[in-house]
Every structure is written in C-alpha cells, then in structure tokens.
C-alpha cells in the first residue's frame, strides 16, 4: 500500500512501481487516517507514515516524505513544505511565500524525497527501510507549467531549462528526487 493521501504522489509512486508488477492501493482508499508528521527529518516522517500504515493495514507499506529545501532560507520549507501551502494545500500560496521570503537572494534549491518501506509487525518484525533521493536546481518566477504538483512550477533541475511543472512526466520520472530514491529502493528490493 502507498501510505499517502496526496493524489500526485499516489500517481507518481504507482507509475514507478508498475513495471515491477506491484499492485498498489492508497491509504485513503483503505480509510486510513494521515498520521501526524512529528519527525525532525524527512527520514523520520517517512518511517512514521510507513510504520503507521503497515500496522493499520497489515500490508507492506511504502511512504514518502519529500519537500523543497532552499539553503538561503535555512533549509525551509523542508519538512514543512506541505504546511506552507496552508490547510487547503494551495501551493500557489506556498510558492508566493518562498518568493517573498527569498527575494533576490541565492535561488539554489533542492528537492528531497525519502521513501520508507515498512512491513507489519506480524511480518518480519515490523522493519522499516529508508531510501533518500535528491535533485538540485534553482527556483524561477513566475511559476511555469501545469504538470506535476506542489512546487514543481518554480523548480528547474540542473542541466534543464524546463520546470518540473513543464516537463513531460516520463522525463520527470527519470530524473526526479523521488525517482532517485526509488532507484535505491529497487536496488535493495527487486
């Protein structure tokens, strides 16, 4: 099961798993609540979500914690990336806040994704493994592109001229932070 209620993450992770014959179901489809993210790192939050979902569902659970890291902002929004979008998860608000707080400062940024894979306690002792991926780039304004989700319309990965929001999903799946974390998961599990 994919331990997420975010439709963008669900679609992206399901697409990454599809070539391996893995059938997925989202946490929302099983009626599972979203656990509170109380960790101090992407790794802690991903592990917390995966473990809670594995225990509640009795299934192997894959969770993601990811976000935009801007060094000039002290690493913010970081693990609070979704919170910057407010209760309505309006990422236009979050992108405007990044722009406002950053001003004309250094616009280097990274996307970080940590995947956590947890088994239920009845199977393999409730183990959790984490896999981290990063992609570096810079931020642009105004936002460009309607593809992707979250901060994708303001992030241009190094070596490209397109934002993740403009990029063909197949290309993004090859180079994204989530794809890099997923490659590590595949190496360990398949």
């Amino acid at each position: 099961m994919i331990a997420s209620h975010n439709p963008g993450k669900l679609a992206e992770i399901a697409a990454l798993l599809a070539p391996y014959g893995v059938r997925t179901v989202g946490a929302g489809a099983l009626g599972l609540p979203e656990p509170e993210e109380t960790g101090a790192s992407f790794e802690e939050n991903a592990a917390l979500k995966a473990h809670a979902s594995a225990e509640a569902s009795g299934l192997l659970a894959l969770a993601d914690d990811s976000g935009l890291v801007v060094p000039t902002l002290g690493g913010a929004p970081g693990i609070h990336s979704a919170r910057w979008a407010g209760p309505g998860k309006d990422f236009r608000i979050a992108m405007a806040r990044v722009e406002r707080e950053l001003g004309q400062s250094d616009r280097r940024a990274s996307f970080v994704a940590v995947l956590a894979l947890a088994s239920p306690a009845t199977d393999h002792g409730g183990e959790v493994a984490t896999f981290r991926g990063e992609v570096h780039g810079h931020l642009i304004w105004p936002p460009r592109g309607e593809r992707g989700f979250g901060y994708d319309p303001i992030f241009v990965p190094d070596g490209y001229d397109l934002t993740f929001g403009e990029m063909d999903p197949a290309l993004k799946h090859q180079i994204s932070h989530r794809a890099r974390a997923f490659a590590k998961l595949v190496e360990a599990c398949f």
Side-chain angles (χ1 to χ4, degrees), residues 6-190:
N6 179 317
K9 283 185 184 182
L10 289 169
E12 198 167 302
I13 293 170
L16 289 167
L17 287 168
Y20 299 94
V22 177
R23 292 181 308 160
T24 62
V25 61
L30 296 176
L32 300 180
E34 291 184 78
E36 189 174 346
E37 295 180 18
T38 57
S41 68
F42 292 111
E43 285 80 3
E44 288 177 15
N45 283 331
L48 184 149
K49 291 186 280 190
H51 180 72
S53 293
E55 290 301 309
S57 69
L59 300 171
L60 192 62
L62 181 63
D64 164 288
D65 196 50
S66 56
L68 180 68
V69 176
V70 183
T72 301
L73 299 180
I79 61 170
H80 304 292
S81 290
R83 292 181 201 153
W84 278 36
K89 303 213 185 214
D90 185 343
F91 278 90
R92 291 173 300 191
I93 293 169
M95 290 185 281
R97 181 175 174 187
V98 171
E99 180 182 22
R100 185 175 57 254
E101 292 195 18
L102 194 57
Q104 295 303 311
S105 299
D106 183 355
R107 292 185 172 197
R108 285 181 294 147
S110 299
F111 265 128
V112 173
V114 173
L115 296 175
L117 185 63
S119 59
T122 57
D123 182 20
H124 300 57
E127 299 170 4
V128 178
T130 60
F131 308 91
R132 183 183 183 102
E134 298 183 25
V135 64
H136 304 283
H138 67 277
L139 303 175
I140 58 99
W141 284 276
R144 298 188 328 230
E146 300 296 322
R147 294 177 167 165
F149 59 96
Y151 297 90
D152 286 355
I154 62 171
F155 183 80
V156 178
D158 288 346
Y160 294 86
D161 296 323
L162 299 174
T163 67
F164 272 174
E166 297 171 300
M167 203 171 273
D168 182 89
L171 176 58
K172 181 186 173 192
H173 290 325
Q174 291 175 4
I175 66 168
S176 76
H177 49 306
R178 195 164 289 108
R180 292 175 182 189
F182 188 76
K184 292 177 182 176
L185 178 141
V186 167
E187 184 177 318
C189 299
F190 292 97

